Amino acid sequence: MIVSILGGTGEQGPGMALRWAKAGLDVIIGSRQQEKASRVAAELNQELGQDLIKGMANPEAAAVAEVIALTVPFSAHRSTIESVKEYLSGKIFIDVCVPLDENNPRKMHLPPAGSATEEAQEILGESVKVVAAFQNVSAHALRHHEHPIDCDVLVCGNDKEARQTVLQLVEQMGLHAVDAGLAYNARIVESLTALLIGLNIRYKVKSSGIRITGLPT
Amino acid sequence: MIVSILGGTGEQGPGMALRWAKAGLDVIIGSRQQEKASRVAAELNQELGQDLIKGMANPEAAAVAEVIALTVPFSAHRSTIESVKEYLSGKIFIDVCVPLDENNPRKMHLPPAGSATEEAQEILGESVKVVAAFQNVSAHALRHHEHPIDCDVLVCGNDKEARQTVLQLVEQMGLHAVDAGLAYNARIVESLTALLIGLNIRYKVKSSGIRITGLPT
């Protein structure tokens, strides 16, 4: 399976790329600048000791992949989605963005649609299967790809089959995935990130996370 | 310390009362009907084999306690707070209410103030120290007071000292408490309950919960 990570040169992208590449997926890092994408891909390949990750411009990365993840800061959420919209029809779009308050990352600034995920679905229309995932996993923890991550990944979106595919993609990274239901839950999942950022600051740690308890094992 | 649980004959109240009574606190169950409060208190005392819990009408229960917890359904949130407001000045008020959508408990219906907790603070004014806690712990798990609970309690509110007191009250119940910061985080903490109710339904369990990972032990 080909998975592209748009904005993949940023915070979460490299960790996600490394973990998916190690799981045997064809991973593409997308960036606004193709050169930057290629440079980061080369750095990650060097770290892996294998040529597993490619770098492309965002639209090209979106065009060739079956699953497209978006990891840009929320300020670039709408513009990036619009720039690749034509390549996404019928595909799975994993929204990793969190609409944090730009003046205080411990607070949310939820968009009118309710959440980044719901905004993405609104922009892309029903032909694209938008699924939220990875919002609560710290970039720091993701990047240390040799280490397990003590954080569940809540997965939500309106297309059950697409959700199932993303649940599997999360598990392939070695993370535990939880089916968090429909897209409207993304506002809760995204908001949790602001709470965790607050905990990181208050408790002076880098990677607080969450686990869901009481589910069947 | 005297702790009253208003609406304590409902879902969460009995479990909280049993656990606090076992920890040596003076616990009062409050209800709109004094007889009902006394009856439930008597049942719980029988279960404990000791006379530790009293039953009173809500206003009386609020008047004699130093810490007052509210566990009514959200539909009775404002009216119950207004009915005891005159007895709360200078005290700690623990809001346990969750503003779920009445037609779908997997969804929130957040009040204009942002959360039940912020609404309570708005109604009560600055002389009352409103703190959110216990929203994510299932009533079912609380009630089985012989069993440990696999769920953290996120505690938030604007008064740091009051938050500290509530953190300790949570720990006295044998639960792990996490300092979740200011009152605006209550909208996240309360919303998590809707997510957990959805997980209970989707995974066919009774008591899904959350743990915060990555904090200092």
Side-chain angles (χ1 to χ4, degrees), chain A:
Chain A
M1 183 184 274
I2 307 176
V3 182
S4 283
I5 305 166
L6 310 186
T9 62
E11 300 232 333
Q12 295 107 325
M16 290 173 65
L18 286 167
R19 288 173 185 267
W20 269 333
K22 284 166 69 181
L25 298 172
D26 290 319
V27 180
I28 298 163
I29 292 244
S31 172
R32 274 187 300 177
Q33 300 152 275
Q34 193 266 315
E35 299 74 26
K36 195 175 173 191
S38 296
R39 179 166 49 75
V40 171
E43 285 165 14
L44 297 176
N45 285 329
Q46 192 165 27
E47 196 167 330
L48 289 169
Q50 281 179 283
D51 253 10
L52 299 175
I53 302 170
K54 289 192 182 72
M56 296 182 188
N58 280 331
E60 198 187 349
V64 297
E66 297 154 82
V67 173
I68 294 94
L70 181 66
T71 63
V72 294
F74 188 68
S75 56
H77 186 250
R78 179 176 287 273
S79 62
T80 309
I81 292 174
E82 282 169 350
S83 75
V84 298
K85 181 177 174 180
E86 62 188 298
Y87 307 110
L88 298 181
S89 186
K91 297 182 180 180
I92 294 175
F93 181 80
I94 306 177
D95 203 335
V96 188
C97 300
V98 179
L100 297 171
D101 186 327
E102 287 190 15
N103 300 310
N104 180 359
R106 285 168 294 189
K107 277 186 131 165
M108 298 301 291
H109 185 77
L110 292 168
S115 60
T117 305
E118 288 160 284
E119 179 176 275
Q121 188 71 70
E122 217 172 78
I123 300 168
L124 292 170
E126 294 308 313
S127 75
V128 183
K129 298 154 198 162
V130 177
V131 179
F134 300 110
Q135 283 89 350
N136 307 140
V137 185
S138 89
H140 181 263
L142 272 173
R143 189 63 183 78
H144 290 73
H145 62 98
E146 307 288 0
H147 298 97
I149 294 179
D150 194 8
C151 181
D152 286 347
V153 174
L154 297 166
V155 174
C156 55
N158 292 337
D159 188 291
K160 197 174 176 179
E161 212 176 303
R163 227 158 66 210
Q164 211 56 44
T165 301
V166 176
L167 287 163
Q168 284 165 15
L169 282 167
V170 172
E171 300 271 352
Q172 282 183 274
M173 259 192 213
L175 285 154
H176 183 242
V178 174
D179 182 354
L182 297 175
Y184 64 69
N185 284 321
R187 53 190 81 176
I188 307 173
V189 175
E190 294 173 16
S191 296
L192 255 177
T193 306
L195 189 89
L196 294 173
I197 290 171
L199 292 177
N200 285 347
I201 296 168
R202 198 167 310 108
Y203 285 92
K204 299 181 174 58
V205 297
K206 279 182 181 166
S207 304
S208 67
I210 58 145
R211 288 286 191 193
I212 302 294
T213 61
L215 300 184
T217 45

Side-chain angles (χ1 to χ4, degrees), chain B residues 170-213:
Chain B
V170 172
E171 300 270 351
Q172 283 183 276
M173 259 193 211
L175 285 155
H176 183 242
V178 174
D179 182 353
L182 297 175
Y184 63 70
N185 284 322
R187 52 191 80 176
I188 307 173
V189 175
E190 294 172 16
S191 296
L192 254 178
T193 307
L195 189 89
L196 295 173
I197 290 171
L199 292 177
N200 285 346
I201 297 168
R202 199 165 311 107
Y203 284 92
K204 301 182 174 56
V205 297
K206 280 183 180 166
S207 305
S208 68
I210 58 145
R211 288 285 192 194
I212 302 294
T213 60

